Amino acid sequence: MSTTMPKQPRRKPQPTRRLSARFWANTIVIALAFIVVIVIVLVGRAQSASKQDAAPAVVRADSRILQKAPTDKVTVVEFLDFECEACGAAYPVVEQLREQYKDRVTFIARYFPIPSHKNAMNAAMAAEAAGRQGKFTEMYSKLFQTQTQWAERQDDQSTVLRSVAESLGLDMRQYDKDIADPTLRIRVMKDQTDGVQLGVAGTPTFFLNGEKLTLTSTEQFAAELEKAWRR
């Protein structure tokens, strides 16, 4: 005699539990995607800010001012090397234009020591050290006026440059301290780095209201300043 076992009732599916698991899985995926988007946006902003900070500037807040006009309508920036013979030749031209446009044009000097000039960095540092004592313009002029005494030498002319600084009545103890300060060299190199990024390949290189000039004569230089002033 056979015995038939009663059939067990089938369990019904549990849709609520399955839907709940799927819901949480989808929620996690969405949250992760949202986090990724936020990270991408933040990284993009950081990179953009970094690029802006690293962007070369024709004029910076700490740039050395030779002459300040009452308005900022016209600004001339010269990237120079105190040992450069061409810069020495341009010096009287700049002085003439400074006098001619003293009430209308701001003149700014920025350092661009050329590596092949053995004392260009030393001279730039001497000028910057003088600038820390409020006598940058005086040192700027004195370096060009005495250029033949120390330039184009293969040996270190720091002692001669120190004598030039001393002739201006600087506090020499402070001068020596500043020359030994690593931040002073960094300050000079910052100008040089900006110049390279701006396309400066030699000295002197002039910028007028942020635009690089190609000059052929003093008359043309004066005409460019006049044109900028009348705009």
Side-chain angles (χ1 to χ4, degrees), residues 19-29:
L19 286 175
S20 177
R22 185 178 301 170
F23 169 79
W24 285 112
N26 290 339
T27 299
I28 292 171
V29 170

Side-chain angles (χ1 to χ4, degrees), residues 126-145:
E128 183 60 19
R132 289 187 176 187
Q133 296 190 41
K135 290 196 173 183
F136 172 79
T137 301
E138 293 86 342
M139 190 62 165
Y140 157 89
S141 294
K142 203 71 172 177
L143 286 171
F144 281 125
Q145 291 166 4

Side-chain angles (χ1 to χ4, degrees), residues 15 26 74 97 101 103 110 147 161 169 171 181 197 205 217:
N26 290 339
V74 184
L97 294 174
Y101 292 93
D103 296 325
R110 299 196 67 183
Q147 189 185 64
L161 295 170
D171 179 338
D181 182 358
Q197 294 179 346
T205 295
S217 67

Side-chain angles (χ1 to χ4, degrees), residues 28-229:
I28 292 171
V29 170
I30 293 171
L32 289 174
F34 185 68
I35 291 171
V36 169
V37 170
I38 291 177
V39 170
I40 291 173
V41 170
L42 292 177
V43 169
R45 287 180 179 176
Q47 290 177 340
S48 177
S50 177
K51 288 179 180 179
Q52 290 178 357
D53 291 341
V58 176
V59 180
R60 291 191 181 274
D62 60 355
S63 293
R64 290 297 176 186
I65 299 174
L66 288 173
Q67 176 174 296
K68 184 74 171 70
T71 71
D72 294 325
K73 184 175 182 180
V74 184
T75 299
V76 172
V77 178
E78 178 186 5
F79 281 85
L80 58 83
D81 175 340
F82 287 107
E83 192 171 356
C84 167
E85 188 176 356
C87 292
Y91 165 70
V93 174
V94 173
E95 292 301 286
Q96 176 187 327
L97 294 174
R98 281 179 59 199
E99 176 62 27
Q100 185 177 346
Y101 292 93
K102 60 185 177 183
D103 296 325
R104 293 186 285 170
V105 178
T106 293
F107 285 82
I108 292 174
R110 299 196 67 183
Y111 310 113
F112 198 82
I114 296 172
S116 61
H117 292 164
K118 300 300 182 182
N119 286 284
M121 176 59 77
N122 291 334
M125 291 174 63
E128 183 60 19
R132 289 187 176 187
Q133 296 190 41
K135 290 196 173 183
F136 172 79
T137 301
E138 293 86 342
M139 190 62 165
Y140 157 89
S141 294
K142 203 71 172 177
L143 286 171
F144 281 125
Q145 291 166 4
T146 63
Q147 189 185 64
T148 57
Q149 299 175 23
W150 57 268
E152 301 298 327
R153 308 290 204 280
Q154 295 304 306
D155 56 327
D156 191 314
Q157 295 292 302
S158 296
T159 302
V160 178
L161 295 170
R162 188 180 187 280
S163 297
V164 174
E166 193 171 17
S167 71
L168 297 175
L170 297 181
D171 179 338
M172 297 312 295
R173 181 175 297 181
Q174 184 61 47
Y175 174 88
D176 292 337
K177 182 179 178 180
D178 287 334
I179 288 293
D181 182 358
T183 64
L184 189 143
R185 179 181 288 267
I186 292 171
R187 166 68 185 82
V188 171
M189 292 177 66
K190 183 172 69 174
D191 271 9
Q192 189 178 44
T193 299
D194 277 350
V196 170
Q197 294 179 346
L198 288 164
V200 176
T203 54
T205 295
F206 293 92
F207 288 80
L208 174 58
N209 288 346
E211 298 295 325
K212 190 194 298 187
L213 290 176
T214 301
L215 299 172
T216 56
S217 67
T218 303
E219 292 73 22
Q220 183 211 348
F221 201 163
E224 293 287 351
L225 297 183
E226 198 68 38
K227 186 193 307 180
W229 173 254

